[in-house]
């Protein structure tokens, strides 16, 4: 593969791979990305794009001990960004149910990270009974969070218009790599690929020639927390004004936001010297104790905590508590 790609230009390789349905991006500088149609489309999109469809009445919800107490969140996400959003809503009190297709099992370490504060069930949306169960769950949900490409879930009755008709008053948060606008709106992608295309890889270059990388999947984590905030804001808006509320976010748009912030010269951070134990906690699981990160933040000066032991992947019923 390396030998074949070596014969190609970066843009040619990008076109061939994406044309075949794969994931690739030529490394670009910031100026180049912003000058090209995909970058221009992303730049023209709000960091959190909001829309309301229909005239569903406001949903009244009693206040609870935590900001999301009593909120039911249906989680159709995988791999970092979406799971970060939904696990944080779980830490804030929501009942989060994650659904995965039975034929695409998750990696073990990713299940430990992605199932915090939620339950996990398997459901085949491609089968008629699976689709029916999905919409039964949506009828009892307050929030749907999904991390698939724009329109990828339309065939299951999850397009915005159908959701507004079948499940009025729902809050829907969707995230993707590139957003739904512009020539890359339908492309697959993930954090490192977006770093390469958007100019972050070159901004992190060690020598101005070789692409670098952020020290973590920051686009995923940052977009995940933005998604959680967007869900809470949309719930507040729905309870006041009604409608079926939609919020759309994209890793590439988060990249634009971060690139536009002031920067300091790279160097060692004082935070790196802190005791990592302050950020870690231990949870029970079917496989034994698991050490994981704590949820960030405090509420009324009390540290947030994961509300339950780790679920076994696919081990829960596809039902609300």
């Amino acid at each position: 593969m390396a030998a074949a790609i070596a014969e190609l230009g970066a843009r040619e390789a990008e076109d061939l791979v994406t044309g075949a349905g794969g994931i690739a991006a030529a490394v670009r500088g910031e100026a180049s990305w912003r000058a090209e149609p995909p970058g221009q489309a992303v730049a023209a999109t709000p960091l959190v794009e909001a829309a309301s469809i229909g005239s569903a009445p406001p949903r009244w919800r009693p206040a609870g001990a935590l900001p999301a107490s009593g909120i039911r969140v249906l989680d159709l996400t995988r791999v970092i960004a979406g799971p970060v959003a939904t696990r944080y809503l779980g830490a804030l009190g929501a009942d989060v149910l994650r659904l995965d297709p039975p034929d695409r099992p998750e990696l073990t370490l990713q299940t430990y990270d992605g199932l915090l504060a939620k339950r996990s069930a398997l459901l085949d949306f491609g089968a008629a009974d699976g689709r029916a169960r999905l919409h039964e769950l949506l009828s009892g949900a307050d929030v749907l969070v999904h991390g698939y490409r724009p329109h990828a879930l339309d065939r299951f009755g999850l397009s915005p218009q159908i959701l507004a008709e079948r499940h009025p008053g729902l809050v829907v948060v969707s995230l993707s790599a590139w957003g739904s606008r512009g020539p890359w709106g339908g492309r697959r992608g993930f954090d490192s690929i977006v770093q390469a295309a958007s100019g972050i890889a070159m901004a992190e270059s060690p020598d101005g020639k070789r692409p670098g990388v952020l020290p973590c999947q920051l686009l995923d984590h940052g977009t995940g927390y933005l998604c959680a905030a967007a869900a809470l804001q949309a719930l507040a808006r729905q309870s006041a004004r009604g409608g079926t509320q939609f919020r759309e976010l994209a890793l590439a748009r988060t990249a634009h936001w971060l690139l536009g912030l002031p920067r300091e010269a790279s160097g060692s951070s004082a935070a790196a010297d802190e005791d990592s134990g302050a950020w870690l906690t231990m949870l029970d699981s079917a496989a034994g104790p698991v050490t994981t990160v704590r949820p960030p933040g405090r509420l009324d000066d009390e540290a947030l905590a994961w509300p339950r032991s780790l679920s076994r992947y696919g081990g829960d019923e596809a039902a609300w508590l």
Side-chain angles (χ1 to χ4, degrees):
M1 185 183 294
I5 291 177
E7 300 297 321
L8 304 173
R11 301 303 179 93
E12 185 182 2
E14 175 186 275
D15 290 342
L16 285 170
V17 173
T18 56
I23 302 175
V27 175
R28 295 162 169 81
E30 292 178 63
S32 176
W33 170 247
R34 291 179 181 275
E36 295 181 35
Q40 293 171 346
V42 171
T45 304
L47 181 61
V48 179
E49 188 161 17
S52 179
I53 297 178
S55 56
R59 294 186 180 185
W60 181 85
R61 302 174 181 87
L66 293 168
S69 291
I71 299 298
R72 289 173 169 176
V73 178
L74 195 63
D75 177 6
L76 308 184
T77 71
R78 295 167 72 92
V79 190
I80 306 183
V84 162
T86 49
R87 78 186 190 188
Y88 199 59
L89 291 172
L92 293 174
D95 173 19
V96 182
L97 175 63
R98 173 168 155 172
L99 299 179
D100 283 282
D103 60 337
R104 288 182 170 83
E106 185 71 282
L107 298 175
T108 300
L109 286 178
Q110 290 178 357
T111 64
Y112 291 150
D113 190 60
L115 295 185
L116 294 164
K118 62 188 77 168
R119 294 175 295 119
S120 169
L122 303 180
L123 192 65
D124 182 5
F125 302 168
D129 58 345
R131 272 196 308 279
R133 186 70 191 125
L134 169 65
H135 284 280
E136 288 177 11
L137 290 167
L138 284 169
S139 293
D142 299 290
V143 179
L144 167 65
V145 182
H146 74 81
Y148 291 86
R149 285 176 299 137
H151 308 298
L153 298 179
D154 288 4
R155 66 188 186 277
F156 302 122
L158 300 182
S159 67
Q161 195 62 48
I162 292 178
L163 283 170
E165 292 171 1
R166 294 188 64 174
H167 310 289
L170 189 66
V171 165
V172 181
V173 179
S174 62
L175 67 143
S176 63
W178 310 106
S180 59
R181 300 183 185 182
W184 286 20
R187 285 195 181 186
R188 295 173 170 89
F190 51 87
D191 188 314
S192 301
I193 292 291
V194 176
Q195 288 189 41
S198 65
I200 288 178
M202 289 311 300
E204 293 290 317
S205 170
D207 55 12
K209 298 178 181 179
R210 293 173 296 153
V213 65
L214 292 170
C216 69
Q217 299 297 90
L218 184 60
L219 303 183
D220 271 329
H221 285 272
T223 307
Y225 288 112
L226 285 171
C227 285
L232 294 173
Q233 186 272 344
L235 283 166
R237 180 64 59 88
Q238 203 287 329
S239 68
R241 302 185 183 181
T244 305
Q245 298 289 329
F246 293 85
R247 301 294 184 270
E248 182 181 338
L249 299 93
L251 303 183
R253 187 60 186 84
T254 302
H256 272 253
W257 177 47
L258 294 175
L259 284 166
L261 297 175
R263 302 179 210 173
E264 298 178 359
S266 60
S268 61
S269 170
D273 297 326
E274 291 181 3
D275 178 14
S276 62
W279 297 95
L280 301 177
T281 188
M282 187 171 290
L283 297 177
D284 291 329
S285 78
V290 174
T291 300
T292 184
V293 68
R294 297 178 186 272
R298 304 179 71 84
L299 190 65
D300 294 332
D301 207 33
E302 292 289 332
L304 293 174
W306 304 122
R308 63 200 318 273
S309 60
L310 267 169
S311 286
R312 180 173 59 85
Y313 179 74
D316 295 293
E317 184 181 357
W320 296 117
L321 295 174

